[in-house]
Amino acid sequence: MTKMVAVTACIAGIAHTYMAKANLEKFAKKNGIEIKVETQGAMGMENKLSEAEIADADVVIFAVDTNVAERSRFDGKEILTVSTSEVVKDGEETIKEAIARINN
């Protein structure tokens, strides 16, 4: 099974951070992909990804509009960076683009 991890973070750290998380989870499930999403929002870092989860991931999605805390944790991984609004508008396309990164 394909495994992904993601980080979502918007400027305000409220709506788009959590809407992006929900869309990534929805469309990953629809496409048979295991995903865990860490949010970095107004409430701080939630659902923090472990080193093992990052290591096991085939690809990392950054759905972000601001800086990501502890970004060096993802060094060496295949990374797709998009805005939170892109994921909110078309989360399925983001998942498909991430899958394409794995298959190349």
Side-chain angles (χ1 to χ4, degrees), residues 2-103:
T2 300
K3 292 183 181 182
M4 296 182 185
V5 294
V7 176
T8 62
C10 68
I11 303 258
I14 304 172
H16 279 85
T17 297
Y18 298 98
M19 291 187 325
K21 176 185 186 290
N23 264 4
L24 288 172
E25 291 171 339
K26 173 184 174 181
F27 290 110
K29 182 177 180 180
K30 179 181 175 186
N31 286 280
I33 295 167
E34 184 180 320
I35 192 168
K36 181 173 178 186
V37 182
E38 173 181 293
T39 57
Q40 295 185 17
M43 303 294 286
M45 190 182 296
E46 297 177 286
N47 207 28
K48 184 175 180 176
L49 298 166
S50 71
E51 287 183 26
E53 289 166 330
I54 295 167
D56 288 346
D58 299 303
V59 66
V60 178
I61 299 171
F62 285 125
V64 299
D65 306 314
T66 188
N67 292 328
V68 173
E70 302 178 21
R71 191 174 181 126
S72 63
R73 298 178 291 157
F74 304 96
D75 288 350
K77 298 302 291 184
E78 181 67 37
I79 294 175
L80 170 63
T81 302
V82 296
S83 70
T84 57
S85 60
E86 286 178 71
V87 176
V88 170
K89 289 177 189 169
D90 195 354
E92 187 157 30
E93 182 58 33
T94 302
I95 293 295
K96 288 179 179 178
E97 189 174 339
I99 292 168
R101 295 269 177 118
I102 297 166
N103 294 329

